[in-house]
Amino acid sequence: MVQTTMQHGDLLISGLVEYSRRVFPEAKVITWTGEGTREASFADIGDQGAQIANALTKLGVARGDRVATFMWNNTEHQALYAGVPSMGAVLHTLNLRLSPEQAVFIINHADDKVIFVDASVAPMLSQYLTGTPNVKHVVVANGPVESLTAPEGVTVHAYDDLIAGEPTTYDWPKLDETDAAVMCYTSGTTGDPKGVVYSHRSIYLHSLLGTSTSGMGLSNHDTMLAIVPMFHVMSWGLPYAAMMAGATLVMPDRFLQPEPLLAMMAETRPTLAAAVPTIWQGVSALLDAKPQDITHLREVVVGGAAVPPSMITKFDGYGVKIVHAWGMTETSPLGTISRPPAGVEDEDAAFAYRVTQGRFPAPVAARIVGDDGQEQPWDGEARGELEVSGPWITGSYYQPDGNVADPSKFDDGWLRTGDVATITPDGYMTIVDRAKDIIKTGGEWISSVELENVIASNPAVVEATVIGVPDAKWDERPFVLAVVRDEADADVEAHRKFLEDRIPRWQIPERWSFVTEVPKTSVGKFDKKRVRQHYADGDYTVLGEPDA
Amino acid sequence: MVQTTMQHGDLLISGLVEYSRRVFPEAKVITWTGEGTREASFADIGDQGAQIANALTKLGVARGDRVATFMWNNTEHQALYAGVPSMGAVLHTLNLRLSPEQAVFIINHADDKVIFVDASVAPMLSQYLTGTPNVKHVVVANGPVESLTAPEGVTVHAYDDLIAGEPTTYDWPKLDETDAAVMCYTSGTTGDPKGVVYSHRSIYLHSLLGTSTSGMGLSNHDTMLAIVPMFHVMSWGLPYAAMMAGATLVMPDRFLQPEPLLAMMAETRPTLAAAVPTIWQGVSALLDAKPQDITHLREVVVGGAAVPPSMITKFDGYGVKIVHAWGMTETSPLGTISRPPAGVEDEDAAFAYRVTQGRFPAPVAARIVGDDGQEQPWDGEARGELEVSGPWITGSYYQPDGNVADPSKFDDGWLRTGDVATITPDGYMTIVDRAKDIIKTGGEWISSVELENVIASNPAVVEATVIGVPDAKWDERPFVLAVVRDEADADVEAHRKFLEDRIPRWQIPERWSFVTEVPKTSVGKFDKKRVRQHYADGDYTVLGEPDA
């Protein structure tokens, strides 16, 4: 047997921090102040990261302890990304948009000892602290400590005072690359939030992808506007990928509205930007009202929700390429990214690729699995639940007494994404629907999303959602809950007629109800869970007559 | 303590093979035939790789066994790169330019059981086989089996017959990522050749760098002309990086002369190419005689030896960017790559960066260590031996009874490169000299390479090499061995005068000898080992008089 002569070379975040600090003095972290910018070099970030590690060591934070952040994207948050995992502690990024119950649950579940908070959101955190007895220290950044009201037993620090005078170096421990580095809870719509714990290894590999042509392609020559929050799947890995690439980061802090976003673009001229579709919808509306050249952007990476094809066209009009990506908290997040393959020059042909969720990078293995548990072919037609595996894909959820791989979420080591997808013979994946939303009727599947889109393309419809409801003969049939323009449009037969030329006959829904508003979640998505419950409770008047 | 929830996701070559086969049907391996091209898709390569694995299993090749190749860059070699490590065997690439003694030593040291050989070089291999009793099978590709003469006990196979009818799938074993995958011997100028054994992990990570903006930046839209041989540090990792990127590979087979290289460029229009400087010197000479548009090349990666600045300028003239890279067999090989940093727009300023060996990518940690064992600063001035570490850097040399980390080659886990270097404050490394060639005089160092360059800039000099020789007062002083244009130029004082304005006074050599030719190695470098031996033996007439 031959043994490798290669060094192991543990893949550690401290390696990234020291690397960026030493090799890229020209790269910066630029934070928006509301009126302009403030800048830090990666050397400054490394200094501050070491100061944080020294200060936390004094506070008694040891290897494996959880240090939470309740912060926007800014310099101080970047320094915490650098220092906390490098010292062997676990950075826990708290979502600023949690309900108070969720926040308290998560802080206690993760057993956070210290929380760093931006003064602007400190009043929110103050409300939670009475319910989180294990939190011993809160550190307030970017504003007065008085923004926070803390119960007895919690020591409150000012960020600047805490790190002042601390050494700007730290003898980073030689961790194992599979040690926990960062944790993040999914805000699922059902059950308690679930903890995902990224390792140094998973983050390092994901950062390599960030600099890869199969990923973001981030380089030393890029300036990345990281709009996606650092509390949301590590801002899609950008804080670490930028360290590896030596790319400049532009951090919007709390200024996530279209006006400041366009102002910071004008000032910093980013080459790349990353955010969810709703952000770009707002930016687009403002651009139309008040044109501004944004062609300094060579690509805009959009994920977190499906990108409407019209948005891609819209941005083509601004001279900017939208790149569609797919991922989830459980996938670090980069799962797929959509750029047309080599050899496709024709714009229409390219567009057909660009609207898909895209191709998997090499480290992400994928398969689609049918209802019968059988793997489905990559023919662009066959549908199945998307399952993925790889070194930055979660294999369980965090529990203090041992992580758990619930079979409803994991299948023989693969993550069940809960998405139903097709994959083309050349590896382009399209999400058809959420698995729980797909309508299974007479052995065939109807995508609720596709059906909603066709129904909503009727000018008489303001908005519409579709759920599957029990049917004695077909197992399930679609039920439509729609808002129409005029009272006269509340006409089931007219709607069915509209659909006749547009979808197969057997897909046309019989059951309709017209309401003044479709229930929505806190982030503005159709709340199908509530629609299902209302339907089951008989809260809707069901119009139309099942004809089958 | 928090445990990561991430999957381990072993980084295996079989993963790359299956990925490229499934996701990139449009990418190809194109082999030059002498008159034109033959093509295989990555799916074909995957099929052939599995057929090889099935055939080798029948021949009794088991996990950890060594399978050697004695081949050019071509489709069949690519299929062996795919199949052999994926099945758990170790691919041993034999250098076609070894001396017979070295070849026999290496085959026996590695204990190769099977050798795949191109018919065009089979006569050469035939000579070695009488000295390698453990080789049981030889497989001849791309020509008649009769090209090989094998001793009794060796079964000779035709490549096509061996794999014909074998299944095109193989149930790849779940290896550990630290398992041996490929081995390669360094052809050092001193002592026996030394074995370096790459792991699946090291190759996979190096491939990620191949697709990274910090490395080759290879993408699905690239066609890479891989001139650097597959028997030389895995063709700089290109066969595997191409699988990961979905890039098309152009393989020159045995046609490495300028004419066929330019013919294959005209036909395949590569966007990237990789080779050592001597190849590009030949290509350049032919281009000047017979101009051809080569602007389809967006970058030419040159490594293996320092790139003369004049070559960079020359290729700028063709509209093609040369990118300087540094590495060695022990570093997989990518150690540094030189592109100017962000913000440097001025061409002269950029040029000053382009002539350096470049920046380290994140996974390669580097330091320079002085004679006193102290780490030297990154100030662009301080010199020291370059030491590197990381997941694709060797930490020992292969020995059948256990790998050995000789302290003359390794320093506390770091690889001693044997190169003396400087590093700038922004991380750009320049190789000053080989450590063993640097001249240590009165506590100061003289780079033999720099001194040679200045001496050779005298029009009277055809070529010159410099070695350090013992000196009672200064420990060492430089000795110059030069070839001059005319007899009249054999004038020590004239040469010393020429140097006066060009280098510090204390560096000017006293000892000179004028000869008709400087001894050279088989690859055309100055053979300083022989020059040293001749000097010690008193074979040279030493002119000039030490004046200090």
Side-chain angles (χ1 to χ4, degrees):
Chain A
M1 209 67 180
V2 172
Q3 302 298 327
T4 181
T5 66
M6 292 291 118
Q7 302 174 16
H8 192 262
D10 271 299
L11 309 173
L12 300 180
I13 288 170
S14 56
L16 283 186
V17 172
E18 292 305 318
Y19 174 71
S20 65
R21 174 189 219 169
R22 198 152 192 187
V23 173
F24 296 115
E26 73 273 25
K28 292 184 287 253
V29 176
I30 301 174
T31 302
W32 192 251
T33 64
E35 280 123 41
T37 59
R38 58 195 177 99
E39 295 190 0
S41 69
F42 277 126
D44 299 333
I45 297 291
D47 288 354
Q48 225 174 97
Q51 290 180 305
I52 290 166
N54 282 304
L56 287 175
T57 302
K58 279 192 191 156
L59 294 187
V61 171
R63 193 161 160 179
D65 283 348
R66 270 74 72 202
V67 174
T69 55
F70 197 69
M71 295 175 76
W72 302 105
N73 293 16
N74 53 38
T75 312
E76 292 70 26
H77 210 169
Q78 179 77 10
L80 286 155
Y81 264 62
V84 173
S86 292
M87 72 181 284
V90 181
L91 182 79
H92 175 200
T93 55
L94 287 163
N95 192 324
L96 300 184
R97 293 175 189 139
L98 295 169
S99 69
E101 298 72 36
Q102 285 176 321
V104 168
F105 172 88
I106 287 174
I107 293 168
N108 288 331
H109 193 264
D111 195 16
D112 297 328
K113 293 212 156 37
V114 182
I115 303 180
F116 285 76
V117 62
D118 272 324
S120 58
V121 288
M124 226 194 307
L125 182 67
S126 303
Q127 298 171 42
Y128 313 154
L129 291 176
T130 51
T132 60
N134 292 342
V135 175
K136 298 301 175 208
H137 300 274
V138 177
V139 186
V140 182
N142 298 311
V145 290
E146 293 71 27
S147 319
L148 189 85
T149 315
E152 218 166 309
V154 174
T155 311
V156 181
H157 308 261
Y159 179 88
D160 294 336
D161 296 345
L162 182 77
I163 68 170
E166 292 295 339
T168 56
T169 57
Y170 190 96
D171 189 13
W172 303 124
K174 288 196 199 312
L175 306 172
D176 188 288
E177 69 185 32
T178 61
D179 284 354
V182 177
M183 69 194 297
C184 190
Y185 281 74
T186 64
S187 44
T189 45
T190 54
D192 286 328
K194 292 179 189 67
V196 170
V197 184
Y198 309 105
S199 64
H200 288 261
R201 172 184 167 94
S202 72
I203 290 171
Y204 198 105
L205 289 169
H206 191 268
S207 303
L208 269 169
L209 188 82
T211 73
S212 165
T213 59
S214 311
M216 302 264 185
L218 210 57
S219 90
N220 173 241
H221 292 261
D222 281 314
T223 295
M224 167 59 93
L225 174 58
I227 305 173
V228 56
M230 292 171 85
F231 58 73
H232 180 72
V233 211
M234 301 178 285
S235 188
W236 299 350
L238 298 172
Y240 294 119
M243 287 185 196
M244 185 174 274
T248 287
L249 282 172
V250 178
M251 299 296 210
D253 202 274
R254 64 188 182 280
F255 306 98
L256 297 172
Q257 306 72 32
E259 285 216 22
L261 287 175
L262 279 166
M264 64 190 91
M265 284 192 219
E267 178 145 340
T268 64
R269 300 186 65 74
T271 58
L272 291 168
V276 295
T278 46
I279 292 278
W280 296 114
Q281 230 129 24
V283 167
S284 172
L286 182 57
L287 274 176
D288 290 346
K290 213 176 135 188
Q292 172 178 327
D293 175 31
I294 58 165
T295 56
H296 46 79
L297 289 165
R298 64 175 174 84
E299 279 184 355
V300 163
V301 183
V302 188
V307 177
S310 58
M311 184 182 287
I312 297 179
T313 310
K314 191 93 192 168
F315 276 73
D316 282 351
Y318 306 138
V320 171
K321 277 239 161 350
I322 280 190
V323 174
H324 199 185
W326 168 86
M328 37 201 299
T329 303
E330 288 87 340
T331 66
S332 291
L334 213 124
T336 59
I337 193 157
S338 197
R339 298 190 186 89
V344 173
E345 307 293 341
D346 176 68
E347 272 198 31
D348 288 344
F351 195 80
Y353 283 105
R354 293 172 67 202
V355 295
T356 73
Q357 267 74 14
R359 270 175 166 168
F360 303 91
V364 179
R367 64 185 187 188
I368 43 177
V369 177
D371 254 4
D372 53 0
Q374 293 300 303
E375 207 178 324
Q376 300 296 306
W378 290 21
D379 59 7
E381 296 291 332
R383 294 167 173 203
E385 183 173 1
L386 177 65
E387 299 188 351
V388 291
S389 72
W392 60 72
I393 309 293
T394 200
S396 60
Y397 288 108
Y398 172 67
Q399 287 297 345
D401 46 0
N403 298 344
V404 173
D406 175 345
S408 73
K409 299 287 179 184
F410 301 96
D411 175 7
D412 192 25
W414 295 69
L415 172 72
R416 299 180 58 178
T417 63
D419 284 323
V420 173
T422 61
I423 308 180
T424 62
D426 51 356
Y428 283 79
M429 187 270 285
T430 299
I431 302 274
V432 175
D433 207 347
R434 290 292 296 167
K436 62 178 176 356
D437 294 336
I438 210 142
I439 299 152
K440 296 174 182 175
T441 185
E444 299 287 340
W445 288 9
I446 302 174
S447 158
S448 68
V449 175
E450 284 172 9
L451 191 49
E452 284 165 358
N453 285 344
V454 184
I455 293 170
S457 71
N458 185 338
V461 175
V462 176
E463 61 180 12
T465 191
V466 177
I467 60 167
V469 298
D471 183 277
K473 183 163 179 193
W474 304 106
D475 293 332
E476 276 192 341
R477 288 297 296 161
F479 161 71
V480 186
L481 190 69
V483 179
V484 285
R485 301 229 173 259
D486 290 309
E487 218 170 294
D489 293 325
D491 175 349
V492 173
E493 277 318 305
H495 287 282
R496 287 172 52 87
K497 197 157 198 72
F498 176 83
L499 297 177
E500 263 172 18
D501 300 333
R502 291 176 168 84
I503 56 173
R505 197 168 174 78
W506 61 271
Q507 293 191 7
I508 299 175
E510 302 81 25
R511 299 169 176 85
W512 297 68
S513 180
F514 299 100
V515 288
T516 52
E517 202 189 344
V518 173
K520 298 201 189 62
T521 68
S522 60
V523 296
K525 294 185 188 178
F526 293 138
D527 190 344
K528 297 198 180 189
K529 196 175 144 199
R530 269 164 69 203
V531 174
R532 271 191 202 96
Q533 192 56 52
H534 286 305
Y535 182 89
D537 293 346
D539 291 349
Y540 298 121
T541 304
V542 179
L543 309 168
E545 202 50 52
D547 62 354
Chain B
M1 208 68 179
V2 172
Q3 302 298 326
T4 181
T5 66
M6 291 291 118
Q7 302 175 16
H8 191 262
D10 270 301
L11 309 172
L12 299 179
I13 289 172
S14 56
L16 283 186
V17 173
E18 292 305 319
Y19 174 70
S20 65
R21 175 189 219 170
R22 198 153 192 187
V23 172
F24 295 114
E26 73 273 24
K28 291 184 288 255
V29 177
I30 300 174
T31 302
W32 192 250
T33 64
E35 280 124 41
T37 59
R38 56 194 177 100
E39 295 189 359
S41 68
F42 276 126
D44 298 333
I45 297 291
D47 287 355
Q48 226 174 96
Q51 289 181 305
I52 290 165
N54 282 304
L56 287 175
T57 302
K58 279 192 191 157
L59 294 186
V61 171
R63 193 160 160 179
D65 284 348
R66 271 74 71 203
V67 174
T69 55
F70 197 69
M71 295 175 75
W72 302 105
N73 293 15
N74 52 38
T75 312
E76 293 71 26
H77 211 169
Q78 179 76 11
L80 286 154
Y81 264 63
V84 173
S86 292
M87 72 181 284
V90 181
L91 183 80
H92 175 200
T93 55
L94 287 163
N95 192 324
L96 299 184
R97 293 175 191 140
L98 295 170
S99 69
E101 299 72 37
Q102 285 177 320
V104 168
F105 172 87
I106 287 174
I107 293 168
N108 288 330
H109 193 264
D111 195 16
D112 296 328
K113 292 213 157 38
V114 182
I115 303 181
F116 285 76
V117 62
D118 271 324
S120 58
V121 289
M124 225 194 307
L125 182 66
S126 303
Q127 298 172 42
Y128 311 155
L129 291 176
T130 50
T132 59
N134 291 342
V135 175
K136 297 302 175 207
H137 298 274
V138 177
V139 186
V140 182
N142 298 311
V145 290
E146 292 72 27
S147 319
L148 188 87
T149 314
E152 218 166 309
V154 174
T155 311
V156 181
H157 309 261
Y159 179 88
D160 293 338
D161 295 346
L162 182 77
I163 67 169
E166 292 295 339
T168 55
T169 58
Y170 190 96
D171 189 13
W172 305 123
K174 288 196 199 312
L175 306 171
D176 188 287
E177 69 183 31
T178 62
D179 283 354
V182 177
M183 69 194 296
C184 190
Y185 282 74
T186 64
S187 43
T189 45
T190 54
D192 286 328
K194 292 179 188 67
V196 170
V197 184
Y198 308 105
S199 64
H200 288 262
R201 172 184 167 94
S202 72
I203 291 171
Y204 199 103
L205 289 169
H206 191 269
S207 303
L208 268 169
L209 188 81
T211 72
S212 165
T213 59
S214 311
M216 302 264 185
L218 210 56
S219 89
N220 173 241
H221 292 261
D222 281 315
T223 295
M224 166 60 92
L225 174 58
I227 304 174
V228 56
M230 292 170 84
F231 58 73
H232 180 72
V233 213
M234 299 178 287
S235 188
W236 298 351
L238 297 173
Y240 294 118
M243 287 185 196
M244 186 174 274
T248 286
L249 283 171
V250 178
M251 300 295 211
D253 202 274
R254 64 189 181 280
F255 306 99
L256 297 173
Q257 306 72 31
E259 285 216 22
L261 287 176
L262 279 165
M264 63 190 92
M265 284 193 220
E267 178 145 340
T268 64
R269 301 186 64 74
T271 58
L272 291 168
V276 295
T278 47
I279 292 278
W280 297 115
Q281 231 128 24
V283 167
S284 173
L286 182 57
L287 272 177
D288 290 345
K290 215 176 134 186
Q292 172 178 327
D293 175 30
I294 59 165
T295 55
H296 46 78
L297 289 164
R298 64 176 175 84
E299 278 184 355
V300 163
V301 183
V302 188
V307 178
S310 59
M311 184 182 288
I312 297 179
T313 310
K314 192 92 192 166
F315 276 74
D316 281 350
Y318 306 138
V320 171
K321 277 240 160 354
I322 280 189
V323 174
H324 199 185
W326 168 85
M328 34 198 306
T329 303
E330 289 86 339
T331 66
S332 291
L334 213 124
T336 59
I337 192 156
S338 197
R339 298 189 186 91
V344 173
E345 307 293 341
D346 176 69
E347 272 198 31
D348 288 345
F351 195 81
Y353 283 104
R354 292 173 66 203
V355 296
T356 74
Q357 266 74 14
R359 271 175 166 169
F360 303 92
V364 179
R367 63 184 188 189
I368 45 178
V369 177
D371 253 5
D372 53 0
Q374 292 301 303
E375 207 178 323
Q376 301 298 304
W378 290 22
D379 59 7
E381 296 292 332
R383 294 166 174 205
E385 182 174 1
L386 177 65
E387 299 188 350
V388 290
S389 73
W392 59 74
I393 309 293
T394 200
S396 61
Y397 288 107
Y398 172 66
Q399 287 297 347
D401 47 359
N403 298 344
V404 172
D406 176 345
S408 74
K409 300 287 179 184
F410 301 96
D411 175 7
D412 192 25
W414 294 70
L415 172 73
R416 300 180 58 178
T417 63
D419 284 323
V420 173
T422 60
I423 308 179
T424 62
D426 51 357
Y428 283 79
M429 187 270 285
T430 299
I431 302 274
V432 174
D433 207 347
R434 290 292 297 166
K436 63 179 173 4
D437 294 337
I438 209 139
I439 299 151
K440 296 173 182 175
T441 187
E444 298 287 339
W445 289 9
I446 303 175
S447 158
S448 69
V449 174
E450 285 172 8
L451 191 49
E452 285 165 358
N453 285 343
V454 183
I455 293 170
S457 71
N458 185 338
V461 175
V462 176
E463 60 180 14
T465 191
V466 178
I467 60 167
V469 298
D471 183 277
K473 183 164 181 194
W474 304 106
D475 294 331
E476 277 192 340
R477 287 298 297 161
F479 161 71
V480 185
L481 190 68
V483 179
V484 285
R485 299 228 176 260
D486 291 310
E487 219 169 294
D489 294 325
D491 175 348
V492 172
E493 277 319 303
H495 286 284
R496 287 172 52 84
K497 196 157 199 73
F498 176 83
L499 297 177
E500 264 173 15
D501 300 333
R502 292 176 168 83
I503 56 175
R505 198 170 173 77
W506 61 272
Q507 293 191 6
I508 298 175
E510 302 82 25
R511 299 169 178 85
W512 297 69
S513 179
F514 300 99
V515 288
T516 52
E517 202 191 342
V518 173
K520 299 200 187 63
T521 68
S522 60
V523 297
K525 293 185 188 178
F526 293 139
D527 190 343
K528 298 198 179 188
K529 197 174 142 198
R530 271 163 68 201
V531 174
R532 271 191 203 95
Q533 193 56 52
H534 287 305
Y535 182 89
D537 293 346
D539 291 350
Y540 298 121
T541 305
V542 179
L543 310 167
E545 203 51 51
D547 62 353

